[in-house]
Amino acid sequence: MEPGNQQLLSAFLGYLASERQLSVHTLANYRRDLERLDQQLQELGCPGWQTLSENNLRRAVGRLHGNGLSGRSLQRMLSAVRSFYRYLTREGVVSHNPALAIQAPKSSRRLPQTLDVDQIDALLERETEDPLQLRDLAIMELLYSSGLRVSELVSLNLVDLDFSDASLVVTGKGRKTRVLPVGRKALAALERWFKVRSGLVRPDETALFVGRRGTRLTTRAVEQRLARQGEQQGVNGRVYPHRLRHSFASHMLESSSDLRAVQELLGHADIGTTQVYTHLDFQHLMDVYERAHPRARRKKE
């Protein structure tokens, strides 16, 4: 990356960290996407962000797509470029945003993987006295009960949970907080975890969930533990935090059809992000319809 380009990118990332307060993970995504695009632009003979034209950006996107980058990845990249150029315009570095009129190639939208209610029960309805198993059960119950992101889960502190009110204060993307309900079974699992937590935690640790060393769990540790739990219980497919979040959203929509409420619970800024779950709900309705309607049942072979 050219020195001038690196300076502009570093300033932009600093702005995202300090003013937008984005997570380290999100910042890494911005950096990776913009550096990848910058490399492609330089190969096309367009070395500077300040001189980038709409036509050259379109050529770079086309080249990246031709080299196998998916439409979804290109959409994210273009979103990063738009944000970058909004910042550059605000700072007076450029006078136009070359990414505004460019659309990424369309790609089929993958439906989120979910667990059905029987799989959830197989995963969560267990008796154990092992402290780490009790912690894992509390984690899974909370992910499924309240639809948390794994980053939100690992950032939880003791003070964020209110047993008397059955509620939880969660800090999501952009440091936005929301108050979520906690279900009865999740509260019971958390109470069982609290009874053994003191035997693991360091005296000054405020995290709700800790590991063997008594310190806050990482997202990677949670992912590994959930994958292991899924294997041990024979769940079909890999169990991971976002799959429990997807299951929460899908089951809530199946029962309530209240898209706005599910949007608020998930902490989605755009309801369009939540609407992917309506496709899952429609699939569920189609299954019910084909089983129940006398003129829709499939013939037995």
Side-chain angles (χ1 to χ4, degrees), residues 69-218:
L69 197 61
S70 70
R72 187 172 183 178
S73 295
L74 287 167
Q75 287 171 6
R76 187 188 66 201
M77 177 180 285
L78 284 169
S79 176
V81 176
R82 292 185 193 104
S83 296
F84 184 30
Y85 273 87
R86 279 197 296 271
Y87 166 78
L88 293 179
T89 303
R90 191 191 77 167
E91 296 298 309
V93 177
V94 299
S95 59
H96 75 295
N97 190 331
L100 288 179
I102 299 178
Q103 297 294 323
K106 290 185 177 180
S107 59
S108 58
R109 193 168 191 182
R110 291 180 298 173
L111 293 180
Q113 286 189 325
T114 62
L115 298 166
D116 62 33
V117 176
D118 289 337
Q119 289 175 314
I120 291 287
D121 287 344
L123 193 62
L124 301 179
E125 295 291 342
R126 287 182 282 134
E127 295 294 329
T128 182
E129 298 298 326
D130 179 76
L132 295 181
Q133 293 280 352
L134 288 170
R135 180 205 62 194
D136 292 349
L137 283 171
I139 285 173
M140 292 187 291
E141 285 279 12
L142 191 55
L143 287 169
Y144 178 62
S145 166
S146 303
L148 303 181
R149 301 177 178 94
V150 66
S151 59
E152 295 169 344
L153 178 113
V154 298
S155 68
L156 289 173
N157 293 315
L158 295 172
V159 296
D160 296 325
L161 179 64
D162 187 340
F163 275 100
S164 63
D165 198 34
S167 65
L168 187 69
V169 177
V170 175
T171 303
K173 291 185 176 180
R175 302 288 182 182
K176 293 180 180 178
T177 60
R178 64 190 191 280
V179 180
L180 298 176
V182 181
R184 174 178 54 85
K185 291 195 174 184
L187 286 173
L190 286 163
E191 287 176 347
R192 291 192 294 271
W193 159 238
F194 269 42
K195 290 178 181 177
V196 299
R197 178 182 176 279
S198 59
L200 290 173
V201 70
R202 290 187 176 182
D204 58 345
E205 182 57 74
T206 61
L208 181 58
F209 295 110
V210 299
R212 294 178 185 273
R213 297 178 180 177
T215 57
R216 187 182 299 273
L217 277 176
T218 64

Side-chain angles (χ1 to χ4, degrees), residues 12 52 58 63 70 111 146 228 257 260 286:
F12 173 57
L52 179 62
R58 199 183 302 277
R63 179 76 66 86
S70 70
L111 293 180
S146 303
R228 187 179 307 171
S257 299
R260 287 287 182 186
M286 282 297 296

